[in-house]
Amino acid sequence: MSWDQYIEHLLVDLPNGGKLTSAAIVGQDGGIWAQSPGFPAVTPEQVTALMAGFDSMEKSGHAGELGGTGIKLGDIKYQVAPGDETVLRGKSKGGGCCIKRTNTALVVGIYDEPVTAGDCNVIVENLGDYLKGQEY
């Protein structure tokens, strides 16, 4: 399956209605492997900050500096919501994001209402778990 097909998988109709606004698979080095139209222009510095947040969650159980600065994807800022060492979740007015860390990449889903955080989390985390099992 190509990386673009994985993005198409993330943008399917969700069980409770709606679909993700945009999605991407981003290398942990900041390179974009695939993205949907409308996905924010994520910078390598933003990916570095996300990776630092994941590392902090793994060591201390909290998102470190991201807890204060928030998750930034392009020009969009999200307040950090509870996650675990392999998932960062963000909230904003009327939507949010879910970021799943795999061995070498980040699977990112962005949603707006009426899509719920739970639906976004399930589809992003399931794909991330699959890719991790494939050694990506």
Side-chain angles (χ1 to χ4, degrees):
M1 188 179 293
S2 75
W3 295 116
D4 289 332
Q5 288 173 309
Y6 289 119
I7 297 300
E8 290 171 17
H9 171 78
L10 288 171
L11 299 176
V12 300
D13 290 332
L14 297 168
N16 295 321
K19 58 177 70 179
L20 298 184
T21 307
S22 60
I25 301 173
V26 181
Q28 291 182 8
D29 62 357
I32 303 293
W33 295 6
Q35 66 183 15
S36 66
F39 189 80
V42 176
T43 67
E45 293 80 17
Q46 289 171 336
V47 174
T48 298
L50 292 172
M51 292 306 300
F54 278 115
D55 291 342
S56 180
M57 295 243 330
E58 194 172 88
K59 292 175 187 167
S60 65
H62 59 80
E65 190 175 309
L66 286 180
T69 62
I71 296 169
K72 292 184 182 174
L73 299 173
D75 293 333
I76 305 168
K77 183 177 176 181
Y78 299 92
Q79 177 184 5
V80 177
D84 64 38
E85 65 273 358
T86 64
V87 180
L88 288 171
R89 297 181 183 119
K91 297 187 297 185
S92 67
K93 188 173 185 175
C97 67
C98 178
I99 306 166
K100 173 73 176 186
R101 179 166 87 173
T102 70
N103 299 325
T104 58
L106 302 174
V107 179
V108 183
I110 297 174
Y111 67 93
D112 290 318
E113 292 177 344
V115 172
T116 66
D119 283 344
C120 178
N121 297 344
V122 167
I123 197 162
V124 169
E125 291 178 43
N126 285 346
L127 179 58
D129 289 340
Y130 172 78
L131 293 175
K132 194 170 185 176
Q134 300 299 308
E135 302 297 321
Y136 288 109

